[in-house]
Amino acid sequence: MKYGNIKLIDSSNGEGVRVSLYVSGCRNHCKGCFNEATWDFDYGEEFTPIQENEMIEACKKSYISGLTILGGEPMEPQNQKALLPFIEKFKQECPDKTLWLYSGYVLDKDLRPSGRKYLEGITDKILGHVDVMVDGHFVMELKDLTLPFRGSKNQRLLRKSDIEQLMK
């Protein structure tokens, strides 16, 4: 998997000060996307154990609230496969920190069993570690700058209990 950017200090993509990973690769191609460069699966650098360890060590700092993964599209199948071990390592080494995940896919449509981006044995494990998820395509006509942590009115901010309920 490639990534377009890593921010070791980010206050825009979740509550508190966070570490953020912008993965490369997205098939959604939302009109007005703020990060079009990351649509290309070959954009950026290879995500290696060096970056993993750097991000996890940064997350251990007392002023960091957690990790945010966005893109690109983290829930593209090839990205899910690469992200699961990293997410599991993060949760093991930083159990008191939160994981935020941004996806243009709809949780209870695209990411559930029989959904178009669901991977047996992977998607459920990733979602089981997510504390907050923002789901849904960015829709330019529904853009609303007053919404916390999301760009358009159709996108949902889902807490862990919401995620669990929608995945039943």
Side-chain angles (χ1 to χ4, degrees), residues 1-5 21-26 37-45 70-74 76 78-79:
M1 178 186 79
K2 292 197 173 186
Y3 69 95
N5 195 7
L21 170 64
Y22 295 77
V23 302
S24 292
C26 181
T38 61
W39 291 356
D40 183 350
F41 284 87
D42 291 322
Y43 176 77
E45 304 294 323
L70 60 167
E73 176 54 64
E76 291 291 359
Q78 55 268 59
N79 289 341

Side-chain angles (χ1 to χ4, degrees), residues 13-26:
N13 296 301
E15 294 165 340
V17 179
R18 312 188 66 73
V19 173
S20 293
L21 170 64
Y22 295 77
V23 302
S24 292
C26 181

Side-chain angles (χ1 to χ4, degrees), residues 14-74:
E15 294 165 340
V17 179
R18 312 188 66 73
V19 173
S20 293
L21 170 64
Y22 295 77
V23 302
S24 292
C26 181
R27 292 182 178 91
N28 290 322
H29 297 187
C30 301
K31 178 184 172 189
C33 175
F34 79 100
N35 208 4
E36 282 187 35
T38 61
W39 291 356
D40 183 350
F41 284 87
D42 291 322
Y43 176 77
E45 304 294 323
E46 198 66 36
F47 190 63
T48 70
I50 293 169
Q51 288 81 25
E52 284 187 16
N53 292 333
E54 178 183 32
M55 293 180 71
I56 288 172
E57 287 307 309
C59 285
K60 291 178 180 178
K61 295 178 179 170
S62 62
Y63 60 87
I64 297 292
S65 299
L67 172 67
T68 298
I69 302 175
L70 60 167
E73 176 54 64

Side-chain angles (χ1 to χ4, degrees), residues 69-165:
I69 302 175
L70 60 167
E73 176 54 64
M75 298 309 283
E76 291 291 359
Q78 55 268 59
N79 289 341
Q80 287 187 54
K81 291 174 186 174
L83 286 170
L84 179 58
F86 171 59
I87 290 170
E88 290 176 333
K89 183 176 180 181
F90 163 73
K91 280 300 198 174
Q92 182 178 16
E93 294 194 29
C94 303
D96 58 331
K97 308 290 179 152
T98 60
L99 175 63
W100 281 55
L101 179 80
Y102 284 76
S103 177
Y105 296 113
V106 177
L107 175 67
D108 46 334
K109 179 181 173 193
D110 302 313
L111 301 174
R112 62 179 307 124
S114 78
R116 63 189 179 119
K117 296 298 174 174
Y118 181 84
L119 296 177
E120 186 74 37
I122 296 177
T123 305
D124 287 336
K125 288 180 182 177
I126 289 173
L127 294 173
H129 291 299
V130 174
D131 297 292
V132 179
M133 181 175 187
V134 175
D135 80 339
H137 285 70
F138 171 75
V139 177
M140 180 63 93
E141 295 76 25
L142 299 176
K143 182 176 180 178
D144 184 345
L145 298 178
T146 67
L147 295 169
F149 307 116
R150 55 202 191 275
S152 60
K153 291 179 182 177
N154 63 297
Q155 293 175 310
R156 302 181 295 181
L157 187 110
L158 304 167
R159 303 279 174 185
K160 190 166 201 63
S161 60
D162 301 320
I163 295 167
E164 291 168 352
Q165 184 64 34

